[in-house]
Amino acid sequence: METKVSGGRAVATDPGLEELRGDCARMAPHWVVPAAKAPAPVPPSRIHGVTIPSASVRLIADMSEYGD
């Protein structure tokens, strides 16, 4: 990484790709996310009272098979 002195301070300028990749590799262990449990599936008997607004039905009906 190049540095320039500005007002008595060293200021980093445009780090190279390799330096950025190295920084990311060093930080990766700090970003570990614990595995989450998958939610239990909801049985169909518990799904009731779902309503879809007519505007949404028209929107989906007017879409092509692969979406727009």
Side-chain angles (χ1 to χ4, degrees):
M1 174 176 21
E2 295 178 47
T3 58
K4 292 183 180 179
V5 177
S6 172
R9 292 183 13 209
V11 178
T13 60
D14 196 22
L17 180 58
E18 290 303 315
E19 184 174 354
L20 290 173
R21 291 173 76 187
D23 291 344
C24 290
R26 283 189 297 281
M27 290 301 296
H30 299 285
W31 296 330
V32 175
V33 177
K37 290 183 179 179
V42 176
S45 61
R46 295 207 48 205
I47 301 174
H48 55 75
V50 176
T51 59
I52 300 171
S54 59
S56 295
V57 172
R58 284 193 307 271
L59 174 69
I60 298 301
D62 290 340
M63 291 178 74
S64 65
E65 182 177 347
Y66 297 104
D68 290 331

